[in-house]
Amino acid sequence: MKIAVLGTGMVGQAIAARLHGLGHEVAVGTRDPQSTLARTEPDGMGNPPYAAWAADHRQVPLVSFADAAAGAELVINATSGHGALPALELAGADNLAGKVLIDISNPLDFSQGFPPTLFVKDTDSLGEQVQRAFPQARVVKTLNTLTADLMVNPKNLGEESSVFVSGDDGAAKAVVTELLQSFGHTDVIDLGDITTARGTEMLLPVWVRLMGALGTASFNVKIVR
């Protein structure tokens, strides 16, 4: 497929690299490609600038959000929670209409420091906000409960674990499930419509505290039934 990955952070890089390795035609979208490539400082988490990754993945072009979405059959939102809606607005509603839109973002609020809180929860979700803002897109929430490496290489854990999908469009969820299986996910659980994204987004406070307790982000949940 022709796939747009919106976002140049570690999640976007991991997703784009894996998709390209699987034979998909991938473009990465950002607000200002020239500015992104010109950065030389590590990001807020100490990771190398995007240009270092781009140098190793020259077949994956970096373009504007709009150009990436316009040329894609499927779009993946791999931006931060606060950046999700602005990035998708720049991508353009017309460029998203009718397309499967995978939303990986989480509504994490670091304004009061660490650990973060959620800026939407309980009665709404970021996934629902994305679907409301772009009603013609076919939004599927998934992968937001894993660290970037395990999103695309779940077998690195050495045993099976679970991943979830939420969305209103059954055909879109089927497309996403097939993509997840190509990454190596063997237990993909369909939670239901897009409102069920509230549940997976509210797992993040637990995930953050598990990361602190375990001293690593390399873990996942397994639903035993």
Side-chain angles (χ1 to χ4, degrees), residues 2-3 8 28-29 34 66 71 80 85-86 91 97 108 116 120-121 130 134 158 160 170 181 188-189 205 223:
K2 294 182 178 179
I3 300 178
T8 58
V28 174
Q34 290 185 337
S80 66
L85 290 173
L108 295 174
V120 58
K121 58 184 176 181
V130 169
F134 303 94
E160 294 184 358
Q181 290 170 339
V188 182
I189 301 175
I223 305 304

Side-chain angles (χ1 to χ4, degrees), residues 16-132:
R18 185 75 162 111
L19 288 170
H20 181 262
L22 289 170
H24 298 283
E25 185 176 332
V26 184
V28 174
T30 189
R31 181 184 296 269
D32 184 338
Q34 290 185 337
S35 176
T36 297
L37 290 172
R39 293 181 193 135
T40 58
E41 297 297 319
D43 66 16
M45 302 295 289
N47 299 306
Y50 181 82
W53 182 89
D56 292 330
H57 300 84
R58 297 185 182 277
Q59 292 180 305
V60 179
L62 180 68
V63 298
S64 70
F65 287 131
D67 286 344
E73 302 167 75
L74 181 148
V75 179
I76 300 176
N77 172 39
T79 65
S80 66
H82 282 295
L85 290 173
L88 291 168
E89 287 167 4
L90 289 172
D94 289 345
N95 292 330
L96 300 174
K99 297 177 181 178
V100 176
L101 171 55
I102 298 176
D103 178 36
I104 303 177
S105 61
N106 277 308
L108 295 174
D109 180 359
F110 290 92
S111 63
Q112 303 301 314
F114 194 91
T117 57
L118 302 179
F119 62 77
V120 58
K121 58 184 176 181
D122 302 320
T123 59
D124 199 5
S125 66
L126 189 52
E128 290 170 82
Q129 292 183 355
V130 169
Q131 183 65 88
R132 285 198 301 271

